[in-house]
Amino acid sequence: MSDTPEPTQAHFRDDVTVELVKSAAADSDVLFAARVSTAGEQSLEEVAKDPERSKGLINYLMRDRHGSPFEHNSMTFFISAPIFVFREFMRHRVGWSYNEESGRYRELEPVFYVPGKSRKLIQQGRPGKYEFVEGTTEQHALTSRAMEDSYRQAYDAYQEMLAAGVAREVARAVLPVGLFSTMYATCNARSLMHFLGLRTQHELAKVPSFPQREIEMVGERMEQHWQTLMPLTHAAFNKNGRVAP
């Protein structure tokens, strides 16, 4: 009789992580790009002359949707999140660059997403006009148990195929989108504002958005980093309804 295989030592998470790896992003990047229209090569000298005037210029550019000056900067984030979050990310293509870890070239770790107790489970209303409300204790328990059991079964099948010599790129097909992955994502302030306008809910937003909570969690952490780098631009974004210029 063969020995019973050891159960999968899976790790379950209800969070996401976002690290700002590198950046070349400041409010002054917006200002010199905008002022070159009238100051030419002297635009760099104009940046620090009048802080209030600079603040007003950024707000004017945001309000009247002169967007190109907001593209002369760069931020690179290292993100750890479930695969289904990254699939939504890929809909944002203009002004974004992505590189994600590969299940073809490395054995994927058994780290999976299970919603925490604060995650609202129940959808009410029709698409485009719906809301989520709290789940019951029983619904949360069921969700956690069903997901964890499914994840373990899928990862056991993955390990079985790898042990039998099946290629990683084939065996990974049994793994669910709740598996955690990592990627680098690089963007500029304009592309990030467009992302935040769609992927976060905010009381100052002129246009309502209904993002999935998990990608919103990523967006919130990216916004915290960006706000520190470009406070005047971030304030103007909020003041003008969180609509990308």
Side-chain angles (χ1 to χ4, degrees):
M1 182 179 295
S2 61
D3 294 334
T4 302
E6 291 292 325
T8 297
Q9 297 299 310
H11 179 55
F12 304 110
R13 293 178 53 181
D14 62 5
D15 65 329
V16 299
T17 57
V18 176
E19 176 187 355
L20 180 65
V21 176
K22 64 177 181 177
S23 64
D27 292 316
S28 57
D29 299 328
V30 181
L31 297 170
F32 79 71
R35 285 177 174 153
V36 74
S37 299
T38 55
E41 70 275 12
Q42 304 300 317
S43 61
L44 286 173
E45 299 175 9
E46 294 290 319
V47 169
K49 283 187 177 180
D50 188 341
E52 282 302 310
R53 183 165 172 259
S54 295
K55 179 180 177 181
L57 174 57
I58 288 177
N59 188 68
Y60 159 74
L61 295 169
M62 191 77 68
R63 184 193 68 219
D64 285 19
R65 305 194 72 183
H66 296 291
S68 58
F70 297 99
E71 297 176 3
H72 294 269
N73 56 84
S74 178
M75 294 163 279
T76 297
F77 300 94
F78 183 69
I79 302 168
S80 178
I83 288 174
F84 65 79
V85 170
F86 292 168
R87 297 299 80 81
E88 289 197 317
F89 249 105
M90 300 309 168
R91 296 173 186 174
H92 298 269
R93 298 180 294 277
V94 178
W96 287 88
S97 298
Y98 303 108
N99 280 95
E100 185 181 352
E101 71 174 280
S102 173
R104 296 184 68 193
Y105 302 118
R106 62 169 298 181
E107 183 176 329
L108 300 172
E109 297 296 321
V111 182
F112 301 97
Y113 177 75
V114 175
K117 293 182 179 179
S118 64
R119 209 306 187 183
K120 296 178 179 178
L121 294 183
I122 310 304
Q123 179 180 325
Q124 296 182 160
R126 56 185 175 82
K129 197 175 182 181
Y130 56 79
E131 62 176 354
F132 281 84
V133 298
E134 303 290 343
T136 65
T137 300
E138 293 75 18
Q139 287 169 327
H140 274 283
L142 170 63
T143 299
S144 296
R145 185 179 71 254
M147 284 187 170
E148 291 176 12
D149 289 347
S150 178
Y151 290 151
R152 288 193 180 96
Q153 182 178 2
Y155 199 79
D156 284 343
Y158 173 67
Q159 288 290 297
E160 183 180 5
M161 282 188 283
L162 293 182
V166 176
R168 288 183 291 267
E169 67 181 52
V170 176
R172 66 176 174 169
V174 300
L175 296 174
V177 293
L179 182 78
F180 266 74
S181 186
T182 56
M183 76 171 179
Y184 288 102
T186 299
C187 63
N188 59 55
R190 190 183 192 184
S191 54
L192 180 58
M193 284 186 279
H194 183 261
F195 176 89
L196 295 174
L198 291 172
R199 301 299 180 180
T200 61
Q201 286 186 317
H202 198 283
E203 60 183 3
L204 296 177
K206 288 182 180 178
V207 181
S209 182
F210 304 93
Q212 182 161 343
R213 177 56 188 152
E214 289 74 18
I215 197 170
E216 184 179 36
M217 290 160 60
V218 174
E220 289 169 348
R221 287 156 178 77
M222 295 173 75
E223 184 169 359
Q224 289 171 357
H225 289 296
W226 172 55
Q227 180 180 1
T228 300
L229 294 170
M230 304 179 72
L232 296 182
T233 304
H234 181 262
F237 176 58
N238 280 336
K239 183 177 181 180
N240 290 278
R242 294 176 67 87
V243 176

